[in-house]
Amino acid sequence: MKKLKIAIQKSGRLNEKSVELLKNCGLGFENYKSSLITSAANFPLEILFLRDDDIPEYVQDGIADLGIVGENVIMETNADVTYLQRLGFGKCSLKIAIPNNSPITTLEDLNGKAIATSYPVILQKFLDEQQISADIRTISGSVEISPGLGLSDAIFDIVSTGGTLKSNGLKPFTDVISSEAILIGMNGIAKEPVVAELLQRIQSVLRAKETKYVVLNAEKKNLETILSLLPGVKSPTVVPLAEEEWVAVHTVITEQDFWGKINQLKAAGSQGIVVMPIEKIIL
Ligand code: PRT
Ligand code: ZN
């Protein structure tokens, strides 16, 4: 198979999860902190470690074939790349925020106001869509301090817990986009067998993350009700126990409705419920 390059963030919020994802896909690589590029020992892939801002354009221009980067950065750079897979980490939203005591109450109130941001392209697009004409002040960091310094009336920035806004006397005003880490590829790269293989591995890791393997004991008389609660990958496995009237049920449950489902199973007479993580689910 042809050897490809994937670009991931060298350090920062997406680095650890990107490395973990590739390792969970069975790729063996080391020493990444000290070098710009490393090669997977057992897969035809080189890993490039870059600043996140450079990743979309590197992938667009084919310097890297693949990349893992926040959707906000892809949108800001306007790079022409293919979205291959949403990865479910690095989740955040980009919001306009205003000082707690701001007179701004409607979107129209932003007309003529100064908004500080590191994401001028995304903000401009939003303001154009809303037919608002504001003064965008592009700054590269610590956007949240700019209203306090009298440099802007509002900010447009990434928010995750909201803690940074709060500690700077700001409050969210409007959600503009939500973002998460995305696996992107150079246009046309999806047809490469290496990409198909990597995608299959990534998807099996993502599926496993959302699910738990559950084993429980039940009296046969409760089995029908319990089975009706369980989807399973195909269907639950039912195994007889030494005690004649009892069986063990093995199944897979998705994380989203996990606690609701466990409570329903208990109410239906399940006992000794054991929950285990799943490493991969290959369909
Ligand atoms: O060095 P390099 O250029 O590679 O990294 P960077 O400093 O530009 O980016 P980095 O590592 O901070 O973030 C990488 C990506 O993580 C972003 O592009 C987003 O896609 C995603 N992400 C997820 C976040 C956050 N959550 C986040 N909370 N990026 C930044 N923040 C910052 C935000 O800018 C603000 O200052 O965290 C603060 C807000 O957080 P809360 O929790 O207080 O609301
Ligand atoms: Zn950056």
Side-chain angles (χ1 to χ4, degrees):
M1 279 196 273
K2 188 171 147 188
K3 201 165 192 170
L4 299 184
K5 290 192 183 76
I6 185 166
I8 66 173
Q9 194 187 23
K10 185 169 172 64
S11 61
R13 286 168 198 263
L14 303 184
N15 166 268
E16 205 175 301
K17 290 267 173 62
S18 305
V19 168
E20 183 187 297
L21 176 66
L22 295 179
K23 293 210 160 168
N24 284 341
C25 288
L27 273 63
F29 58 94
E30 281 173 36
N31 275 339
Y32 62 88
K33 284 282 177 201
S34 57
S35 59
L36 187 69
I37 185 162
T38 185
S39 210
N42 51 359
F43 197 78
L45 196 68
E46 285 180 319
I47 299 125
L48 283 173
F49 299 94
L50 302 173
R51 287 206 52 192
D52 66 347
D53 315 69
D54 296 332
I55 293 176
E57 277 158 6
Y58 271 48
V59 172
Q60 170 188 277
D61 299 343
I63 296 163
D65 304 280
L66 302 168
I68 295 178
V69 67
E71 188 171 20
N72 53 307
V73 181
I74 308 168
M75 292 172 81
E76 186 62 27
T77 51
N78 258 328
D80 183 14
V81 293
T82 304
Y83 278 37
L84 296 173
Q85 181 67 49
R86 307 187 80 83
L87 298 173
F89 61 85
K91 286 191 172 172
C92 56
S93 24
L94 276 79
K95 302 185 189 212
I96 296 176
I98 53 174
N100 289 329
N101 58 2
S102 170
I104 295 168
T105 55
T106 65
L107 274 178
E108 289 71 45
D109 292 342
L110 290 171
N111 274 305
K113 297 287 192 303
I115 310 175
T117 187
S118 310
Y119 294 93
V121 173
I122 299 172
L123 178 58
Q124 186 67 65
K125 182 162 175 274
F126 174 76
L127 293 177
D128 288 349
E129 281 162 9
Q130 303 296 325
Q131 299 182 328
I132 286 162
S133 158
D135 174 14
I136 297 178
R137 307 250 161 103
T138 305
I139 48 178
S140 60
S142 303
V143 168
E144 63 279 357
I145 62 172
S146 98
L149 296 174
L151 298 174
S152 71
D153 305 291
I155 67 164
F156 173 60
D157 199 10
I158 295 178
V159 179
S160 76
T161 62
T164 303
L165 291 186
K166 218 171 186 178
S167 60
N168 286 280
L170 301 169
K171 59 182 180 188
F173 178 60
T174 312
D175 281 21
V176 175
I177 60 159
S178 54
S179 174
E180 66 185 282
I182 314 267
L183 175 73
I184 53 170
M186 187 179 70
N187 292 339
I189 203 73
K191 61 180 187 307
E192 289 290 336
V194 186
V195 176
E197 172 66 27
L198 184 66
L199 252 183
Q200 189 206 319
R201 293 189 189 192
I202 288 176
Q203 283 160 357
S204 78
V205 171
L206 295 177
R207 266 196 297 271
K209 217 171 235 151
E210 290 164 2
T211 51
K212 297 273 182 252
Y213 194 83
V214 175
V215 179
L216 58 87
N217 293 337
E219 270 188 278
K220 280 182 185 162
K221 65 176 167 49
N222 295 326
L223 191 59
E224 200 178 330
T225 323
I226 288 171
L227 291 185
S228 71
L229 295 168
L230 298 172
V233 171
K234 272 269 187 324
S235 60
T237 307
V238 181
V239 188
L241 292 182
E243 192 134 347
E244 194 146 307
E245 284 310 302
W246 286 76
V247 289
V249 178
H250 293 229
T251 193
V252 165
I253 290 184
T254 66
E255 187 90 340
Q256 276 164 346
D257 60 355
F258 183 75
W259 285 110
K261 196 61 96 183
I262 292 289
N263 288 334
Q264 287 175 340
L265 289 170
K266 272 168 75 178
S270 307
Q271 292 186 10
I273 304 175
V274 177
V275 180
M276 289 165 277
I278 297 176
E279 195 172 302
K280 293 180 183 67
I281 298 182
I282 296 141
L283 294 177

